[in-house]
Amino acid sequence: MPANLPPAYFEAEKRYREAKTAEEKIGALEEMLTIMPKHKGTDKLRADLVETDLPCIDVSTLTARNLHTIVEKLYGISEIIRVYTKAPGKEPDFSTPFILRKNSALEDLAGKIHKDFVKQLKFAKVWEKSVFDGRMVQKDHILQDGDIVEMHI
């Protein structure tokens, strides 16, 4: 069944395809959904714009059921990792992790700490979930969620 979409819809769709930021994309999508007529011919199109592959989790703030699970799922979906730092000879600081995109290298973390760290970084020790003693890594080492990093400059 034809959708019979108005020209304003196609203009909004063009803005969506050309959008660079998430805010621009969301604004264009909202406009597309507003303009789109609501009838049998647009049901599939509307579903394609709105349904996602997000998991469904039963959560209760009253009983604290699955609160930890939903936080972990959100981190997984958002494509970010949490990396903790420590000074040589000291304990790691778990209170404020550095937030990086997945597949970020040690060099990205160094730049986030201080712009001069990228140039001055000699090596770092990284404690991963599977490695308990820490190992020396170079600037191009890809960090994982939960890594603990000790920078040496």
Side-chain angles (χ1 to χ4, degrees), residues 3-152:
N4 295 328
L5 298 170
Y9 174 85
F10 295 108
E11 292 169 12
E13 185 178 35
K14 183 179 178 189
R15 280 193 300 281
Y16 170 75
R17 294 186 194 288
E18 294 173 350
K20 303 247 187 293
T21 66
E23 291 82 17
E24 291 173 347
K25 284 186 180 278
I26 290 170
L29 277 173
E30 287 174 343
E31 186 177 353
M32 289 164 61
L33 287 168
T34 303
I35 294 169
M36 183 187 308
K38 295 172 181 72
H39 58 71
K40 197 173 183 180
T42 60
D43 286 347
K44 184 174 180 345
L45 180 60
R46 184 176 296 280
D48 286 344
L49 292 176
V50 179
E51 297 311 332
T52 61
D53 292 334
L54 296 177
C56 184
I57 302 170
D58 182 26
V59 177
S60 170
T61 55
L62 294 175
T63 63
R65 182 180 60 241
N66 289 332
L67 289 180
H68 181 71
T69 303
I70 196 165
V71 169
E72 291 303 317
K73 289 287 186 185
L74 287 172
Y75 274 113
I77 292 168
S78 62
E79 300 284 319
I80 59 173
I81 59 171
R82 298 159 290 182
V83 178
Y84 304 93
T85 57
K86 71 182 261 354
K90 304 251 172 128
E91 290 296 313
D93 178 15
F94 291 111
S95 63
T96 52
F98 284 90
I99 307 300
L100 302 167
R101 294 187 184 277
K102 273 190 179 174
N103 298 318
S104 291
L106 177 61
E107 188 173 36
D108 299 319
L109 174 63
K112 214 164 192 190
I113 294 173
H114 194 280
K115 64 181 179 177
D116 293 339
F117 274 29
V118 177
K119 296 177 198 167
Q120 298 173 352
L121 181 65
K122 294 177 185 167
F123 70 93
K125 284 181 91 175
V126 175
W127 285 261
E128 299 166 323
K129 291 179 182 176
S130 60
V131 180
F132 298 108
D133 287 341
R135 61 184 176 120
M136 287 179 37
V137 296
Q138 299 299 320
K139 291 180 181 182
D140 61 348
H141 175 76
I142 302 298
L143 298 168
Q144 303 296 319
D145 187 46
D147 283 355
I148 300 169
V149 178
E150 177 183 284
M151 301 251 180
H152 292 266

